[in-house]
Amino acid sequence: MQDAYLIDRRAARFAQGLSAHVKGAAAVLVLTLAALAAGCSGGSGADVVENPSNGGGGSSSSYKGPAPATADVQSFKINLYDNIRTSDRCGGCHSVDGGQTPMFARSDDVNLAYADANGVVNLKSPEDSLMVQKVGGGHNCWLTSDEACAAILETWITNWAGELAGASGRKIDLKAPAPRDPGQSRNFPADPSLFSTTVYPMLDRFCSGCHSSSSTLKQQPFFAEGPSTNPDAVAVAYEAAKARMNLDNPSASRFVVRLRDENHNCWTSDCAADAAALQAKIEAFAQGVPLTQVDPSLLTSKALTLYEGTIAAGGNRYEANQIALYEFKTGIGGTAFDTSGVDPAMDLTLSGQVQWMGGWGLVFAGGKAQASTAASAKLRSMINATGEYSIEAWVAPGNVVQEDARIVSYSAGPMARNFELGQTMYNYDFFNRSSNSDANGNPQLSTPDAKEVLQATLQHVVVTFDPVEGRKIYVNGELVSEGDPVPGGTLADWDDTFAFVLGNEVSGDKPWNGVIRLVAIHNRALTQEQIKQNYDAGVGERFFLLFNVESLVNVPESYVVFEASQFDSYSYLFKNPFFISLDAAQQPSGIPIRGIRIGINGTEAPVGQAFAHVDATISSATYSPEAGQPLAALGTIVPLEKGPEADEFFLTFDEIGGNTFARPPPATPPPPAPQDLPPASDIGVRTFDEINATMSKITGVSPLDPNVQNTFAAVRQSLPAVEQIETVVASHQVAIAQLAIEYCNALMEDATLRTATFPGFPFDQPPSAVFPASEDLLFDPLFDRMLGATQLANQPDRATVKSELHQMITGIPSDPTRPGLMNTGANDAERTLTIAKSVCSAMLGSAAMLIQ
């Protein structure tokens, strides 16, 4: 767990040891930041320009200036400078030719560019680099997504910082949020009535053309569901609309932003006016919702929203040989960007039934996400350079019945591929084209059938290939394949005209249903240690929420930290809390923490309080300045109310530091009103174990008799499981008959037990001498054991039963279909024994035994 929360201090130590020359240059560069903020125009800020580049560098000329002066300058050159100095990226402005300072992309001298770059990057926290923030805010991104450009820049700076610190993966540096007390908040009422009279009419009028299940477009979410087709339309629309309305700040509602700032399907020519009209409706709704007050008697932490936490996604990932990466952070549009930072970017075009998933991911339901063949060619060149590779994916299969479905593929059609990760029911399949396979990558390597490794849940899947050991399949950090059926071989036969595709075949006829939350391609075979490292790092949009408790424990910069994420469209996941002080000089000890509860929007969450049983004491023996002290290895689900941008979380405690809260016992719910149920039958049936015990008691045969025991085991699930007589079906009677036959067979084959049960009955005589003369010696012992010596009013009549058994043996002369048991076989003692078994089975398996 300490690895999961390790705070990277190595980059900080390096930064402290920079040369005086670089420090001086960085100080001078502070004066240039205002110019950078102004944009390349040098005026009030240039407009966002969408460059035509598809991700490749705009200039192929090599660097001809002075050599890097230090190893760190060389690292800067390899990881960042060579990627940004081209004219279609930063080199068009921040260079000698462009004339814009700081000149961190100048082509004449990498050492001078390095000095300027140190003023606009943050090696301790690459995502906080001014360079990243400017591009993410819309400053001359070279792609169609500002967020994708920012992610790529962050990757390049991270690679520089990681090489500088000797690291092989991303680290997480916890960042303290601004302290804020839990505030007054408006929570959505359970009843949609107020919504139906304020916001809903406008949504129904102007948005139902898309956001309704009755629309031909059927665009989720259905916040404009129409009452003409759905009697619960308002309730459906209300649930879908909650996350898009901010009752505390209506102008920040997603509905309003989409109209006002993004001109999304305005219904008039004035989008600002449309946004203002909808905002007024949301304000009217909000004014009718009372403020929720935080109980002043509670011991509360400071508050924050999900997005005020420290981003945890990707922390501690091993990425040293990563050549393609998809984290699906964009969330909108028709392109999933390759943010590995390795050119050419292998961006994916979405087509067919593919949707973005909240919290990062793609949902596939028949569509695909495919790269161009030109961009995909980097896979062949970069993987052939090493002769080995790994495909890494976080996937949640939609079901375990789909077959021959493509999850990740580099192919040209159903029968031509370089590699493929696919699904066949409970198995993951791995195809690899090599010198020892055919052109389709056969024979395939699959997970073992009996282990049913693939499940319809989120799983981390990694397949690796190297020329010596061949292919391997790992699921959730564990090796699950059992040896490659062919030797490794070489990859020289790979075809660079194939295309990389997710969720389908390039031909569109091998769809896979499920969710993909991350895909990475590495041009090395990852070791199991590296695979476990990436599995432990997790996936998706995750945050460390730092709840400030400094005022409660009197330790500077102290926090109770939760890992949190949006679990789905309706809830958040909170897990693995720990205590830490960001002041490394602190060594807290003797601090009790008991009864943690999660608050949301001014009140404790009504469900999901799994941490209420936490009872821990911070101790110097278990506390680590780097990782803190774990409080519980638990997780819980908390309902989503307003959405991740607006829901405000805080913690409450029953005890923390020297503070205690006398929590009142939970109110005892009133007893439910008694229900007048339909009349129940006075009689029922024996259940499976009761039937077995009753048959044993009647016959005197032990239930441990091997034949009886085997038969009972075989029919047990087919015997009645409940006592209600209404549940008895024909299959129950068949199973009862099988068990009765086995008990009676055991009884009659045991000479000692048989003689003791039926004294005087001539088992050694033929049927003609026994029936009907001695049949009472067979009938009466059975009647006495099953019906009792005294005839009861609600029991079968003994005389009637005896008549039926007599006719079963001797037959009915007037009915040729009932010739009788004694007339359908040999006239010998063996036949007499068979008839006795039949009589016993008929009685033992009858209603006289079953009903009680």
Side-chain angles (χ1 to χ4, degrees), residues 738-804:
Q738 289 180 265
L739 188 59
I741 290 170
E742 198 58 61
Y743 266 106
C744 288
N745 183 69
L747 167 62
M748 297 300 178
E749 291 295 335
D750 186 331
T752 301
L753 183 59
R754 180 180 68 207
T755 301
T757 306
F758 305 99
F761 184 79
F763 284 101
D764 57 347
Q765 298 296 315
S768 59
V770 175
F771 303 104
S774 301
E775 64 183 19
D776 284 349
L777 296 176
L778 178 64
F779 294 165
D780 288 340
L782 288 173
F783 290 173
D784 291 344
R785 288 169 179 248
M786 297 186 63
L787 302 177
T790 303
Q791 177 69 49
L792 302 179
N794 58 358
Q795 281 185 323
D797 179 67
R798 289 173 69 103
T800 303
V801 176
K802 183 175 290 190
S803 175
E804 287 288 335

Side-chain angles (χ1 to χ4, degrees), residues 378-395:
K378 81 171 180 179
L379 294 178
R380 182 187 184 279
S381 61
M382 293 184 178
I383 291 175
N384 265 266
T386 61
E388 57 187 81
Y389 68 96
S390 302
I391 306 170
E392 177 188 5
W394 280 92
V395 300

Side-chain angles (χ1 to χ4, degrees), residues 20 383 422 467 507 567 586 626 667 685 735:
I383 291 175
S507 52
F567 186 70
Q586 298 297 318
E626 290 79 18
V685 296

Side-chain angles (χ1 to χ4, degrees), residues 396-553:
N399 57 66
V400 292
V401 297
Q402 52 192 329
E403 300 183 65
D404 195 21
R406 314 292 202 245
I407 304 175
V408 181
S409 188
Y410 180 20
S411 56
M415 299 302 294
R417 74 197 60 263
N418 292 331
F419 64 60
E420 178 207 318
L421 169 64
Q423 176 184 350
T424 299
M425 301 181 75
Y426 285 98
N427 289 345
Y428 288 108
D429 305 317
F430 182 16
F431 294 81
N432 174 65
R433 185 175 184 176
S434 73
S435 55
N436 293 315
S437 77
D438 65 14
N440 194 39
N442 284 307
Q444 71 192 58
L445 174 68
S446 298
T447 53
D449 292 338
K451 293 186 177 180
E452 296 186 350
V453 171
L454 184 148
Q455 295 291 326
T457 187
L458 185 63
Q459 295 183 311
H460 182 240
V461 185
V462 179
V463 295
T464 67
F465 169 84
D466 73 68
V468 177
E469 298 188 10
R471 294 171 291 182
K472 295 180 181 179
I473 304 176
Y474 299 82
V475 176
N476 293 343
E478 300 297 328
L479 177 64
V480 294
S481 56
E482 297 178 345
D484 197 334
V486 296
T490 66
L491 307 177
D493 290 337
W494 275 23
D495 193 323
D496 61 5
T497 65
F498 291 178
F500 181 75
V501 61
L502 303 181
N504 210 325
E505 186 52 78
V506 294
S507 52
D509 55 355
K510 297 294 182 181
W512 176 80
N513 289 331
V515 173
I516 300 180
R517 303 203 63 180
L518 179 144
V519 173
I521 308 297
H522 310 256
N523 68 342
R524 291 288 184 187
L526 298 179
T527 67
Q528 186 160 11
E529 180 181 6
Q530 293 161 351
I531 292 169
K532 285 186 175 180
Q533 178 179 335
N534 286 3
Y535 171 60
D536 291 339
V539 70
E541 187 181 30
R542 298 177 297 114
F543 300 86
F544 285 123
L545 297 188
L546 282 73
F547 294 99
N548 188 304
V549 293
E550 181 175 341
S551 63
L552 298 174
V553 299

Side-chain angles (χ1 to χ4, degrees), residues 225-267:
E225 184 74 349
S228 61
T229 57
N230 185 349
D232 299 320
V234 175
V236 171
Y238 184 44
E239 290 302 318
K242 284 180 180 178
R244 291 153 185 85
M245 296 184 293
N246 188 329
L247 300 186
D248 298 312
N249 183 10
S251 66
S253 298
R254 185 60 180 158
F255 284 141
V256 177
V257 172
R258 288 282 274 167
L259 288 168
R260 183 189 62 218
D261 301 339
E262 301 174 16
N263 300 334
H264 176 76
N265 289 356
C266 309
W267 51 86

Side-chain angles (χ1 to χ4, degrees), residues 65-89:
T70 67
D72 187 35
V73 178
Q74 173 67 5
S75 177
F76 159 73
K77 179 180 184 299
I78 294 172
N79 292 294
L80 180 61
Y81 175 76
D82 287 344
N83 289 308
I84 64 173
R85 71 183 182 89
T86 56
S87 60
D88 64 334
R89 295 183 180 170

Side-chain angles (χ1 to χ4, degrees), residues 686-705 708-709 711-712 715 719-720 732-747 753 757 782 785-786 840-851:
R686 291 181 168 90
T687 58
F688 50 94
D689 283 334
E690 292 173 335
I691 291 171
N692 191 38
T694 301
M695 288 186 176
S696 174
K697 183 67 175 179
I698 291 173
T699 61
V701 175
S702 170
L704 300 180
D705 177 272
V708 168
Q709 194 172 26
T711 301
F712 179 65
V715 303
L719 295 171
H732 291 153
Q733 191 58 49
V734 172
I736 290 169
Q738 289 180 265
L739 188 59
I741 290 170
E742 198 58 61
Y743 266 106
C744 288
N745 183 69
L747 167 62
L753 183 59
T757 306
L782 288 173
R785 288 169 179 248
M786 297 186 63
C840 173
S841 300
M843 280 293 295
L844 189 61
S846 70
M849 178 280 304
L850 180 62
I851 293 177

